[in-house]
Amino acid sequence: MSGRVLSVASECVPLVKTGGLADVVGALPGALAATGWEMRVLMPRYRSLLAQSAGWPVVWDEADLWGGPGRVLAGEVAGVRMLLLDAPHLFDRDGGPYSGPLGDHPDNAVRFAALSWVAARIAREGLDGWKPDVLHAHDWQAGLAPAYLAYGGSGGVKSVLTVHNIAFQGWAPAHMLGILRLPGHAFHPDALEYYGGISSLKAGLVTADRITTVSPTYAAELMRPEFGMGLQGVIAARASVVSGILNGVDTGVWSPEAEDPPFGPKAMAGKAAARAALCAEFGLEVPGPLAIVVSRLTDQKGIDLLPAVIPDFVLGGGGLVVLGSGDPTLEGACRTLAARFPGRVATRIGYDEAMSHRLFAGADAVLVPSRFEPCGLTQMYGLRYGALPVVALVGGLADTVIGASPATLAAGVATGVTFHPVDTLGFGQALTQLLALHAQPKLWTRLRSNAMGHPVGWETSAAAYASLYEGLCA
Ligand code: ADP
């Protein structure tokens, strides 16, 4: 079966990215093409996209979009058919997608309601003869799109909402119900009312025909209070339409064979050279495993655990390079570690895609001690690049890494080190295990070869989405 999907999101690689959401939205259209499903992506035309989309034709007009007119421009980027919502009064601003120099934009609820409104209208009415079968909304920013279809008429279009991170819920005060063009009857605990206000994410969760999240384990976790962040009951009530589909990795972008020097499962000399280059770049000399962290520096990612566990790891021969930015306290803690262990630990604060490639190419291990992790991408880069993932057993980390244990080593299937609970004891024990595994070269080589052979591409996930759409439209 084949069909058409309108994907709607606030970020899409390569145009705008603040996290894994953008990677997924950008990769899915190409991955789906082989399954017969055609996907177009609708996202805002932020200031950073004005020049790039300057000559694009206008394919949709919206007279009244919360304080000004809107238009949709159509173009193609990296093989993906893009629809950009041009509404300068909402999106032509300094800063990133959600915030400017003064912090979060105060009208974010309206900005992304506008995106969702236009998505629902295009899905319902079609665009120049292109009528989607499915509207696929991502996260709270697009959460109102299924709601607008449900409350305003769907035109036969089915809807899917994917939760990439339940922590962001798109809350607005109750008095905005009418402003957001939502019906009074929807202001109800069984609908979109949430803690006395409106949650766009909850609106999507209660109205979408299907709910997905980005790993099977996170799908199950979301129904528990420890992970559901207040929405566990809402998701549990819709359990029959909830599923988890793992993200893939863009293996065109993340390919050890394409790095400089290139390497691969059968030609690991390049990896040794990359490790040496990495040590030289950061002034490190590391006799044991060289670990990396490439991450937002937040409590979610367990970065606060590093100061307690890294000293013993370093004493045991290990080294660490941290690349990330985020919480100033955690940035400071990572800087302090580097100052305390010169030649063994280095910290770079910032976002640097090219550097992240060098890190994965040269590293022996990547540390992902997240408290929750809907899917996670860096452990998959680690698998592909032979940087053994050391991960907390949560969410997508639990679904993608097979921890070394007597059983998995005997079966020859281990691909990394896993730990739970997510605390300094668990993480410290995992690093001790990493040191011990690294000290056994034959075993280490086997683990690394298992890791590099683990499929992390989009094929399986794309097939799962295609079958979800097929089930919906059958
Ligand atoms: P999240 O979306 O929660 O931040 P993911 O692991 O799903 O976590 O995706 C994070 C993405 O951002 C990965 O592609 C990762 O490599 C990238 N990334 C995070 N921090 C940095 C950084 N400082 N420099 C380069 N890339 C980064």
Side-chain angles (χ1 to χ4, degrees):
M1 188 180 168
S2 62
R4 295 163 165 178
V5 184
L6 177 66
S7 176
V8 51
S10 56
E11 310 181 14
C12 177
V13 158
L15 294 178
V16 178
K17 168 172 167 174
T18 71
L21 162 68
D23 291 302
V24 178
V25 175
L28 208 43
L32 275 170
T35 69
W37 284 85
E38 186 206 347
M39 176 175 270
R40 299 187 185 182
V41 179
L42 173 71
M43 67 172 277
R45 189 180 187 222
Y46 301 111
R47 176 170 288 178
S48 58
L49 307 179
L50 294 185
Q52 188 172 355
S53 54
W56 290 13
V58 177
V59 294
W60 184 272
D61 274 301
E62 192 80 36
D64 173 20
L65 207 55
W66 281 275
R71 329 177 283 165
V72 173
L73 313 184
E76 196 170 312
V77 178
V80 177
R81 301 280 292 266
M82 298 293 311
L83 299 167
L84 294 185
L85 174 58
D86 182 62
H89 60 293
L90 300 174
F91 301 117
D92 183 2
R93 301 179 183 182
D94 277 344
Y98 318 116
S99 57
L102 300 177
D104 278 358
H105 296 304
D107 58 346
N108 272 345
V110 162
R111 296 171 76 230
F112 293 105
L115 177 71
S116 303
W117 179 264
V118 172
R121 279 203 63 196
I122 290 177
R124 194 185 288 130
E125 296 167 33
L127 180 77
D128 285 345
W130 189 83
K131 176 92 167 67
D133 304 290
V134 176
L135 180 153
H136 190 157
H138 298 271
D139 272 351
W140 78 265
Q141 295 90 344
L144 288 182
Y148 289 138
L149 287 180
Y151 300 134
S154 73
V157 176
K158 304 293 185 187
S159 59
V160 175
L161 176 72
T162 294
V163 179
H164 297 261
N165 190 336
I166 198 91
F168 306 107
Q169 304 183 341
W171 192 87
H175 73 82
M176 288 191 67
L177 194 71
I179 296 173
L180 295 177
R181 304 181 183 174
L182 293 163
H185 68 78
F187 193 73
H188 186 278
D190 290 333
L192 49 73
E193 187 275 336
Y194 193 55
Y195 288 103
I198 302 152
S199 159
S200 316
L201 185 64
K202 185 179 174 193
L205 289 172
V206 297
T207 54
D209 294 307
R210 293 282 187 281
I211 297 166
T212 73
T213 186
V214 288
S215 67
T217 294
Y218 195 56
E221 286 170 346
L222 282 180
M223 297 178 201
R224 299 174 165 277
E226 309 92 280
F227 293 97
M229 300 206 172
L231 287 169
Q232 60 274 8
V234 177
I235 294 174
R238 301 215 65 206
S240 62
V241 299
V242 175
S243 61
I245 300 176
L246 274 173
N247 291 335
V249 161
D250 186 337
T251 48
V253 174
W254 291 95
S255 165
E257 288 83 2
E259 298 294 341
D260 181 22
F263 64 98
K266 294 199 174 72
M268 292 300 278
K271 177 143 185 105
R275 188 188 192 279
L278 191 61
C279 285
E281 179 176 353
F282 288 94
L284 302 178
E285 210 167 308
V286 181
L290 173 59
I292 57 169
V293 169
V294 178
S295 180
R296 292 186 287 118
L297 301 181
T298 66
D299 284 345
Q300 178 204 327
K301 300 289 183 180
I303 303 300
D304 53 302
L305 303 174
L306 289 174
V309 299
I310 291 304
D312 278 348
F313 181 58
V314 168
L315 274 177
L320 175 69
V321 181
V322 178
L323 168 63
S325 63
D327 181 339
T329 313
L330 297 174
E331 290 182 356
C334 292
R335 282 201 175 98
T336 303
L337 271 177
R340 196 171 152 200
F341 300 107
R344 284 297 195 82
V345 178
T347 293
R348 289 291 180 280
I349 302 301
Y351 189 95
D352 188 333
E353 196 99 18
M355 184 184 284
S356 74
H357 278 256
R358 295 198 296 281
L359 260 54
F360 283 99
D364 298 311
V366 56
L367 312 183
V368 197
S370 305
R371 293 199 166 78
F372 68 95
E373 192 60 78
C375 177
L377 291 171
T378 56
Q379 84 280 11
M380 295 199 270
Y381 305 156
L383 288 170
R384 193 157 167 74
Y385 278 64
L388 287 199
V390 178
V391 304
L393 268 180
V394 294
L397 301 173
D399 291 332
T400 50
V401 180
I402 303 172
S405 72
T408 59
L409 289 173
V413 296
T415 59
V417 174
T418 59
F419 65 94
H420 203 268
V422 190
D423 55 19
T424 52
L425 181 61
F427 191 15
Q429 287 167 339
L431 291 179
T432 304
Q433 189 185 5
L434 182 73
L435 290 167
L437 292 168
H438 188 261
Q440 305 171 67
K442 260 197 176 147
L443 183 56
W444 183 263
T445 303
R446 230 184 43 229
L447 282 170
R448 204 162 59 176
S449 149
N450 289 348
M452 294 178 83
H454 185 92
V456 294
W458 267 102
E459 296 76 12
T460 311
S461 319
Y465 279 111
S467 113
L468 176 85
Y469 302 148
E470 274 161 29
L472 257 181
C473 297

